[in-house]
Amino acid sequence: MGLDETKLSKALNGTRRFHPEELTNLADITGVTVNWLLSGSDEAHGPSVPPSAKILPTRHPENNEHAQKRRAIIEAAWWLLARRGYSAVRIADIAYACNMSTAAVHYYFPTKREIFAETLRYSIKLAFDRQIAELHSITDPVRRLKRLIELQLPAGERGNAEFSIWLQTWADVAVNTSGRENHAQGYRRWYKTVEDAIVQGQEAGVFVDVPSDQLAMELTSLIDGLGIKVLTGILPPDQMFSHIESFIDRNIVLSQGSPA
């Protein structure tokens, strides 16, 4: 985690707060969600809609050693698939990246398609963890909505990788129905998180009185389209966020003096 033992001990006994990045790192290393770390439950109500168990990384009745190996395979595969694409990555490449044999990878995941499906669940967990770790301390609805979007930008290595997995999943389910429900449930969670943030602003009287599902559809569609432009090199991430922020200010945030 990059923490020395003293800081970790103080954070665990409550005399020092975990920073958001430390919380997400701890959740990643241990295989639990940030929501579980903060509340003792994956399903506790918070600033982000909890994923169902079906769209979180699959849990198995196994000891810690096997669980760590399984997570190592998924993390290695996540990076490789994000950077090279599904068709260019072999099981042997994944095995090499996590210092295992091909047979060992097959022991945990019989097929590459199963690994691919699991990388989407891993992406969903990463997004959920970031959202819970960062947004629970933001009470202003406008700041919270904008920060929620900012957390999902395809910016930096991890942001690019996460969006790449989503983009490849969209392309896959367009021609292969086997992963469609997994994708739909994961995307529904994201969409509902955006809509809930909009509803919070409407209830506070700072967002326009337009059906929240309509605003969420328009906003998420803008994010998806601009994200594709970023990944294909047409647009830099900072300009993507600038466009989204402008859309929020023009179409969602209530202008000062306008009737609610």
Side-chain angles (χ1 to χ4, degrees):
M1 288 179 58
L3 278 178
D4 62 42
E5 293 181 10
T6 302
K7 286 184 178 180
L8 180 59
S9 177
K10 288 180 179 179
L12 290 172
N13 67 29
T15 59
R16 172 190 179 276
R17 284 188 177 184
F18 279 111
H19 300 305
E21 186 176 351
E22 293 168 350
L23 279 171
T24 55
N25 286 343
L26 180 58
D28 201 26
I29 290 167
T30 57
V32 301
T33 65
V34 168
N35 209 21
W36 186 89
L37 290 173
L38 294 177
S39 67
S41 170
D42 289 333
E43 301 174 1
H45 179 73
S48 180
V49 174
S52 68
K54 187 175 180 179
I55 57 172
L56 281 172
T58 309
R59 292 179 179 174
H60 299 264
E62 57 192 3
N63 62 30
N64 187 54
E65 180 184 356
H66 283 295
Q68 288 182 341
K69 287 182 177 179
R70 190 182 299 276
R71 289 199 295 273
I73 292 168
I74 290 304
E75 185 168 357
W78 187 78
W79 282 113
L80 286 170
L81 291 167
R83 289 167 174 164
R84 299 184 192 175
Y86 181 82
S87 61
V89 175
R90 304 170 302 161
I91 294 291
D93 298 324
I94 298 170
Y96 180 81
C98 55
N99 198 28
M100 295 184 192
S101 67
T102 300
V105 174
H106 277 300
Y107 171 81
Y108 292 100
F109 300 97
T111 68
K112 189 172 75 167
R113 181 155 289 280
E114 288 183 45
I115 295 177
F116 182 54
E118 200 69 16
T119 60
L120 178 61
R121 298 187 185 102
Y122 181 61
S123 293
I124 291 168
K125 179 185 181 298
L126 290 176
F128 179 57
D129 284 342
R130 280 198 311 277
Q131 291 157 12
I132 292 294
E134 290 240 11
L135 300 178
H136 76 278
S137 62
I138 303 175
T139 57
D140 176 68
V142 178
R143 284 185 56 228
R144 179 181 279 196
L145 177 61
K146 290 181 178 181
R147 185 58 179 156
L148 169 64
I149 305 308
E150 192 174 21
L151 289 172
Q152 299 311 117
L153 295 179
E157 276 196 307
R158 293 187 76 87
N160 267 290
E162 195 173 303
F163 213 103
S164 173
I165 294 295
W166 272 106
L167 182 56
Q168 291 180 63
T169 304
W170 290 334
D172 182 65
V173 299
V175 296
N176 187 335
T177 60
S178 63
R180 191 164 292 176
E181 184 56 29
N182 188 35
H183 165 269
Q185 287 196 32
Y187 194 85
R188 197 176 300 125
R189 187 211 74 83
W190 159 241
Y191 174 89
K192 190 68 171 64
T193 295
V194 173
E195 185 179 9
D196 284 358
I198 292 170
V199 169
Q200 182 194 37
Q202 290 176 329
E203 291 174 346
V206 296
F207 288 170
V208 295
D209 186 18
V210 174
S212 59
D213 59 341
Q214 177 182 324
L215 293 173
M217 178 60 71
E218 292 171 356
L219 181 54
T220 55
S221 297
L222 179 64
I223 295 164
D224 297 340
L226 291 176
I228 292 171
K229 291 181 184 295
V230 171
L231 283 189
T232 53
I234 298 173
L235 191 73
D238 60 336
Q239 286 187 25
M240 173 181 174
F241 185 63
S242 178
H243 283 298
I244 295 169
E245 191 172 34
S246 177
F247 175 87
I248 292 171
D249 290 338
R250 285 184 288 107
N251 298 281
I252 297 180
V253 177
L254 196 63
S255 300
Q256 192 170 8
S258 298

